Amino acid sequence: MSQITTCTFFKLESFSNKLWAFSQMQLGHAHFKNIEGLVFYKLLGSGAENGFSSKPNFGTYALLCIWVSEKDANNFFEKNSFFNNYKSRSSESFTVFAHAAEAHGKWDGKQPFISHASLALDKPVMVLTRASIRLSKLISFGEKLVM
């Protein structure tokens, strides 16, 4: 078995569901303890204006997970009450399954991705980018995105 990465995107419409999803950025972590096969996870928000804005988009969130196996991932998606509650509050959701081909940098001081796939020109490619922006650089970062 080889490591699998999943990324689930959730779209929320009502104010109460958006507020709930926003609260899970802090409160949701309690639901990820002792999940079989889960190596790493991140609850992710998104930016407005096609995702590349310093302004938050309170209607779109994502869950990035790295699993020991696809079986562990599928078991989570089928049976986990937190995930299924999140899905039921969403107007749309979809999950991408991927194998890492390359990885650079660290998340929380760790490199959770094991690169074991090769890129193929006839297959879709997903690029995940993560950045921390210093508060003092936030305005200039936003200006560069607009240009």
Side-chain angles (χ1 to χ4, degrees):
M1 289 187 217
S2 60
Q3 184 187 73
I4 189 91
T5 299
T6 60
C7 192
T8 302
F9 298 89
F10 303 97
K11 183 176 180 182
L12 300 111
E13 292 185 356
S14 73
F15 178 78
S16 63
N17 285 335
K18 288 178 182 180
L19 183 61
W20 179 86
F22 180 73
S23 75
Q24 297 314 298
M25 296 295 289
Q26 180 64 38
L27 302 175
H29 298 286
H31 300 281
F32 289 90
K33 295 185 187 313
N34 304 318
I35 294 177
E36 187 173 343
L38 182 64
V39 175
F40 178 86
Y41 79 94
K42 279 290 178 189
L43 292 163
L44 306 169
S46 66
E49 301 167 14
N50 294 324
F52 293 102
S53 170
S54 58
K55 298 174 198 164
N57 173 355
F58 293 107
T60 304
Y61 292 86
L63 171 61
L64 173 70
C65 295
I66 300 176
W67 303 94
V68 170
S69 71
E70 192 168 338
K71 180 182 175 188
D72 291 323
N74 284 321
N75 188 51
F76 172 81
F77 295 132
E78 289 171 16
K79 299 177 182 174
N80 184 273
S81 60
F82 174 77
F83 178 80
N84 287 308
N85 185 25
Y86 213 128
K87 220 173 143 176
S88 71
R89 291 173 175 269
S90 303
S91 59
E92 293 178 51
S93 67
F94 71 94
T95 301
V96 175
F97 285 70
H99 293 281
E102 292 184 28
H104 304 280
K106 295 181 178 178
W107 293 58
D108 296 336
K110 302 175 216 165
Q111 176 47 267
F113 300 96
I114 296 172
S115 301
H116 56 81
S118 31
L119 295 174
L121 296 175
D122 62 336
K123 304 278 184 188
V125 175
M126 177 173 65
V127 178
L128 300 173
T129 335
R130 185 214 176 274
S132 295
I133 304 165
R134 292 187 188 134
L135 190 55
S136 63
K137 304 289 183 187
L138 186 59
I139 293 173
S140 63
F141 175 78
E143 290 171 351
K144 289 177 185 174
L145 290 176
V146 173
M147 293 179 179

